[in-house]
Amino acid sequence: MGAVTSPAPSRTPATPSSRRWWQTEPAPNLAALAPEVARRTPDAVMARRRQGSQWVPVTATRLAAEIAELAKGFVAAGIQPGDRVALMSKTRYEWSLVDLALWTAGAVPVAVYDSSSASQLAWILEDSGAVGVVVEGRSGVSLVEEIADGLPALTHRWSIDPADGAESLDALRARGEGEADGDDELARRRAAMSRDDVATLIYTSGTTGRPKGCMLTHDNLLREAELAIERLPELFDDPDASCLFFLPLAHVLGRLMEVAFVMSATTVGHSDPGRVTVDLASLQPTFTVAVPRIFERIQDGARRKAAKDGKGRVFDLAAATAIRWSRAKQSGRVGPLLAAQHALFDRLVYGKIREVFGGRVGFVVSGGAPLGERLGHFFRGIGITVLEGYGLTETTGAATVNTRDELRIGSVGRPLPSYEARVDPHGELLVRGRHVFRGYWHDDAATAAVLDADGWFRTGDLARIDEDGYVYITGRVKEIIVTDSGKNVSPGPLEDVIRANPLVSQAVVVGDGRPAIGALITVDEEAVADWLRDQGRPAVPVAELVDDPALRAELQKAVDAANATVSSAERIVRFRLLPADLTEGSGHLTPTMKLKRNVVIRDFADDVDALYQRA
């Protein structure tokens, strides 16, 4: 079909004017946000900082003051407008503080994942021409020391947590206190920036090659945040709106949400995946943001707990009912029997899962990778609606999104208002609008390959758009498998069904240039340990189970379920169990848990070959 432009939201709720101030007075740049919100709502709680077991509130007035103090320190240290300064840290309050302070000083923050290796950090610092870097603690400082000799432009090193070898943020603030005209200089720098200026460099995750620096402007981030707030009133218009954010703030979705939190005066608390369940229980947010793997882990964990308590059958019936109820709800009619079953399981099962989210979460934003229809319906059926969207670093995060009032599970929603989407004759999704990036840093050829003269960006994803404008992602252009007989197979849908099995952690479908489709599978160690115990078998390492007949029989069920969804030519004929899981630490997943497919296939080439060797 032709290009689709999303209409305005069908419902415009009454909201406090303070949360829509940009509609009449648009912010000139990102540095203007915090002072403006502090002026309008000085006592709004912008953040809660975890200190021990307590969450300490930070008001808009206090946040704006802390940003200015740190920005004056950067200016006193010699940071000039347009200078690139890298920021490498886990998700924490100080990340946003440094990010906003660098914008206030007129600098261009360069986002770096805290899991980056020395070589990855060296490439980003070198390619961006960063003059400074902010890290956290001794480990971060040591990483910089390891590569600093090859980076002559890198003249400043700061650490969020005090550590030898780098100036602390407290010392940096102290520098700024001695500048007599510090406030005037910040005002001059804010006034000199426009929405068209480059605001940040975010490097692609490197799933298909060396990371490229995406240039995002102030307008990209501001416009995207404005539309996200307006399009998702279910998240931002609650007077008590709060979010526990635990995804990497180096990711474009993190940066978008960071801007939206400040712009809308939404309270945010920061966490990490290792302690997210504890923090959800104590902060009790109204919404959160996650990637699909988190939903899979919560569902699998609930299933395992039920099985341990002798209620595995009840959980499976409850899960099936949740999915059937959600599908019926989407089709427009829930029958009385299904409604009664759903109400029963809500009392017995669903409420306990909602408690994992803190008890107040009604909506969760999902991004970073495809969610899959089964998970979307399951969570909606238990009372937590997952709002799945779609976007890339190059599109400043969300290009499309599902909302409470315009929800179609299985899709990634409709384009944000004023943005366009279309599918070319080869099935590739193209998008256009003010969210599309400026281009790749110092790489005109790569930019020209994806961005045409009319502003259409080639996403690299295959998609279809239905008659109502909802977008469905069907695969990656570069991931399509072409067998030796010429059959095109999209691996994603097959992998999603296999991962639905509670024993499975990851699945990688292979077969490019081969006579048939195969799969590499890894298992969840905790789930396998429970499975062995239930069978009355002793615990053993997964590496000793790769040829175990009983385990292979269980995994075959997952493969059979996937095969039931495709034609005979697309079915998986053989699979191979790998001896260890695929993780970010092993180099096979990105920080947002997307597969680095080319790396997996390279590293397990012998296992792929073994799938096609005749017995």
Side-chain angles (χ1 to χ4, degrees), residues 175-237:
R175 281 205 203 198
E177 291 174 358
E179 297 296 310
D181 65 342
D183 289 324
D184 291 338
E185 178 61 19
L186 292 187
R188 285 192 290 270
R189 294 193 181 196
R190 277 195 293 261
M193 285 186 291
S194 78
R195 290 178 72 122
D196 290 332
D197 290 337
V198 173
T200 187
L201 299 182
I202 303 180
Y203 279 74
T204 57
S205 59
T207 55
T208 58
R210 202 164 199 178
K212 298 185 289 291
C214 296
M215 294 185 288
L216 300 182
T217 66
H218 289 261
D219 187 66
N220 287 149
L221 283 162
L222 287 166
R223 180 60 174 163
E224 187 82 356
E226 291 164 1
L227 291 177
I229 297 165
E230 294 164 12
R231 189 75 165 143
L232 297 167
E234 56 267 35
L235 302 186
F236 296 102
D237 281 354

Side-chain angles (χ1 to χ4, degrees), residues 199-432:
T200 187
L201 299 182
I202 303 180
Y203 279 74
T204 57
S205 59
T207 55
T208 58
R210 202 164 199 178
K212 298 185 289 291
C214 296
M215 294 185 288
L216 300 182
T217 66
H218 289 261
D219 187 66
N220 287 149
L221 283 162
L222 287 166
R223 180 60 174 163
E224 187 82 356
E226 291 164 1
L227 291 177
I229 297 165
E230 294 164 12
R231 189 75 165 143
L232 297 167
E234 56 267 35
L235 302 186
F236 296 102
D237 281 354
D238 183 340
D240 296 321
S242 61
C243 177
L244 183 75
F245 197 88
F246 56 90
L247 297 184
L249 280 166
H251 188 270
V252 68
L253 180 58
R255 304 298 285 295
L256 165 62
M257 296 304 294
E258 172 189 65
V259 174
F261 293 146
V262 176
M263 184 179 284
S264 63
T266 296
T267 306
V268 59
H270 298 93
S271 184
D272 62 74
R275 59 170 295 127
V276 65
T277 54
V278 174
D279 288 341
L280 282 168
S282 60
L283 186 66
Q284 295 184 313
T286 58
F287 72 97
T288 188
V289 185
V291 294
R293 187 61 182 139
I294 298 296
F295 297 107
E296 290 174 344
R297 287 178 175 173
I298 290 173
Q299 184 189 47
D300 290 346
R303 182 188 285 115
R304 286 197 300 272
K305 185 178 186 304
K308 287 179 181 178
D309 296 339
K311 299 177 181 178
R313 175 64 177 161
V314 173
F315 181 90
D316 289 342
L317 288 172
T321 299
I323 293 169
R324 286 194 296 116
W325 181 89
S326 178
R327 286 176 173 158
K329 189 82 171 175
Q330 182 158 291
S331 68
R333 184 179 183 278
V334 178
L337 177 59
L338 179 56
Q341 292 171 331
H342 183 263
L344 173 63
F345 285 126
D346 188 70
R347 294 193 298 272
L348 296 176
V349 178
Y350 306 153
K352 295 176 182 177
I353 302 176
R354 291 196 296 269
E355 286 301 318
V356 174
F357 289 86
R360 294 208 305 156
V361 169
F363 297 92
V364 180
V365 176
S366 177
L371 175 68
E373 186 179 8
R374 63 181 175 84
L375 280 174
H377 281 302
F378 171 80
F379 277 96
R380 186 194 193 198
I382 70 166
I384 296 176
T385 301
V386 180
L387 303 175
E388 185 176 14
Y390 165 82
L392 302 167
T393 308
E394 292 89 341
T395 63
T396 321
T400 68
V401 67
N402 277 291
T403 70
R404 173 187 57 198
D405 298 328
E406 297 177 0
L407 176 69
R408 196 160 294 179
I409 294 173
S411 81
V412 291
R414 302 168 72 180
L416 287 169
S418 78
Y419 293 165
E420 298 174 89
R422 66 181 175 90
V423 175
D424 77 2
H426 303 290
E428 183 176 359
L429 179 66
L430 279 63
V431 295
R432 180 168 66 177

Side-chain angles (χ1 to χ4, degrees), residues 47-59:
R48 293 192 183 276
R49 299 182 67 176
R50 189 179 63 242
Q51 294 184 4
S53 60
Q54 303 296 314
W55 291 94
V56 178
V58 179
T59 65

Side-chain angles (χ1 to χ4, degrees), residues 351-615:
K352 295 176 182 177
I353 302 176
R354 291 196 296 269
E355 286 301 318
V356 174
F357 289 86
R360 294 208 305 156
V361 169
F363 297 92
V364 180
V365 176
S366 177
L371 175 68
E373 186 179 8
R374 63 181 175 84
L375 280 174
H377 281 302
F378 171 80
F379 277 96
R380 186 194 193 198
I382 70 166
I384 296 176
T385 301
V386 180
L387 303 175
E388 185 176 14
Y390 165 82
L392 302 167
T393 308
E394 292 89 341
T395 63
T396 321
T400 68
V401 67
N402 277 291
T403 70
R404 173 187 57 198
D405 298 328
E406 297 177 0
L407 176 69
R408 196 160 294 179
I409 294 173
S411 81
V412 291
R414 302 168 72 180
L416 287 169
S418 78
Y419 293 165
E420 298 174 89
R422 66 181 175 90
V423 175
D424 77 2
H426 303 290
E428 183 176 359
L429 179 66
L430 279 63
V431 295
R432 180 168 66 177
R434 283 168 58 183
H435 62 318
V436 175
F437 75 148
R438 173 74 56 82
Y440 296 115
W441 178 255
H442 290 166
D443 198 337
D444 293 341
T447 301
V450 298
L451 193 59
D452 71 17
D454 294 323
W456 286 101
F457 170 70
R458 308 193 72 88
T459 65
D461 285 302
L462 299 171
R464 66 180 178 87
I465 302 175
D466 70 15
E467 64 278 5
D468 296 318
Y470 287 88
V471 178
Y472 296 77
I473 303 299
T474 58
R476 288 285 295 168
V477 172
K478 293 182 179 180
E479 290 182 354
I480 288 295
I481 293 170
V482 183
T483 65
D484 64 1
S485 63
K487 178 63 179 177
N488 286 8
V489 179
S490 181
L494 287 164
E495 292 164 352
D496 179 59
V497 177
I498 294 172
R499 286 198 307 271
N501 187 292
L503 292 177
V504 174
S505 176
Q506 295 290 343
V508 185
V509 172
V510 299
D512 203 45
R514 305 281 189 165
I517 299 299
L520 305 177
I521 296 176
T522 68
V523 293
D524 184 291
E525 292 186 7
E526 186 177 352
V528 168
D530 290 343
W531 175 78
L532 287 170
R533 187 187 61 249
D534 292 343
Q535 290 196 319
R537 296 172 58 181
V540 295
V542 170
E544 296 180 18
L545 295 170
V546 292
D547 295 316
D548 182 81
L551 180 56
R552 287 189 60 83
E554 288 296 320
L555 297 178
Q556 185 64 55
K557 295 177 184 178
V559 172
D560 291 344
N563 285 343
T565 67
V566 295
S567 69
S568 58
E570 298 169 280
R571 290 175 185 163
I572 297 166
V573 297
R574 294 187 186 90
F575 70 88
R576 192 168 177 89
L577 176 60
L578 300 180
D581 203 357
L582 305 175
T583 66
E584 183 187 354
S586 71
H588 300 119
L589 300 181
T590 71
T592 53
M593 302 184 192
K594 291 197 290 278
L595 274 174
K596 293 185 177 181
R597 191 176 300 274
N598 59 330
V599 177
V600 174
I601 292 174
R602 180 198 67 199
D603 290 352
F604 295 97
D606 290 344
D607 292 278
V608 174
D609 288 341
L611 289 169
Y612 301 97
Q613 293 171 357
R614 294 188 178 276

